[in-house]
Amino acid sequence: YTGVEDLHVLADAHNYNRALANFVKAEAHEGDTMLDFGAGIGSFSKPVRDMAGRLVCLEPDSHLRDQLRADGFETVPAPAAVENDSVDYAFTLNVLEHIE
């Protein structure tokens, strides 16, 4: 993924990130199995991990997946790796603009 530098720059946008994480928290339920679609460096997985019963980070980039696993996250490389009906709440933030 060529936008890794952008992810690190956005990680410093604390108020912005907090606001988006709060949107996720407001809609999800404590103990939900959650899916972060396009997890990147975990900017939004990190603040919601404590409320999730299970949190799966879908990240196609192998280097970012390795980083997420090193941070203790469960990762998958593609939507096909997520079992049907296995997620209560899915979110994607700062992802759609990177899909070609």
Side-chain angles (χ1 to χ4, degrees):
Y1 170 66
T2 59
V4 173
E5 190 174 305
D6 294 336
L7 295 175
H8 289 288
V9 169
L10 278 172
D12 290 331
H14 301 290
N15 291 337
Y16 172 76
N17 292 334
R18 185 174 31 257
L20 290 180
N22 286 339
F23 287 136
V24 171
K25 289 178 179 182
E27 296 299 322
H29 298 98
E30 189 80 28
D32 276 353
T33 296
M34 299 172 72
L35 175 71
D36 183 351
F37 188 97
I41 59 172
S43 296
F44 302 105
S45 294
K46 291 172 185 172
V48 303
R49 82 182 328 164
D50 289 340
M51 75 175 292
R54 177 180 173 216
L55 177 58
V56 179
C57 295
L58 190 155
E59 177 51 56
D61 183 274
S62 63
H63 298 292
L64 294 177
R65 256 191 339 273
D66 289 344
Q67 182 179 343
L68 289 163
R69 277 193 299 272
D71 287 339
F73 290 104
E74 177 183 349
T75 65
V76 294
V82 179
E83 291 184 37
N84 288 342
D85 300 320
S86 66
V87 174
D88 300 308
Y89 185 83
F91 62 95
T92 185
L93 300 165
N94 297 336
V95 172
L96 296 179
E97 64 270 23
H98 301 286
I99 297 174
E100 294 181 13

